[in-house]
Amino acid sequence: GSFNIEAEDVNEGLKNMVERLGEASLEGQGATFDAIKKLGLNLKELESLSTEDKFIAISDALSKVESTADWRG
C-alpha cells in the first residue's frame, strides 16, 4: 500500500532529530549520544551536515544494522 505521510509530520520528525543531535553534542551523553556512537557515526561530523544529509547518514547507518541483537549488543 501507499504511505499517507503529511509533510508536517516529516518536518516535525526532522526538527526532533536535529534537536536531539544538538543535545547529544552539547551534553556528550545520553540515549542519542550512545545511539550515534553505536551506529559508528561521528557526532561532530554529523553537526556539519545539512538536515537532509544528517537524515541520509543516519538512515544509511541504520540500514547496516543486521538485527536488533547487533543493536543491543
Side-chain angles (χ1 to χ4, degrees):
S2 64
F3 291 98
N4 185 16
I5 301 173
E6 300 288 331
E8 186 178 310
D9 293 336
V10 173
N11 288 336
E12 187 66 25
L14 292 174
K15 179 182 161 200
N16 287 338
M17 176 194 69
V18 170
E19 287 176 3
R20 299 296 172 270
L21 289 172
E23 290 169 3
S25 181
L26 285 173
E27 297 171 9
Q29 62 184 8
T32 302
F33 182 86
D34 293 344
I36 293 301
K37 191 173 172 183
K38 273 189 175 183
L39 288 171
L41 297 172
N42 182 305
L43 199 50
K44 294 294 180 196
E45 288 176 14
L46 278 176
E47 282 186 318
S48 69
L49 300 175
S50 69
T51 299
E52 180 182 358
D53 288 339
K54 286 176 181 150
F55 179 78
I56 291 168
I58 293 169
S59 296
D60 185 52
L62 283 169
S63 74
K64 294 175 183 170
V65 176
E66 292 189 21
S67 72
T68 55
D70 290 343
W71 180 249
R72 292 182 188 136

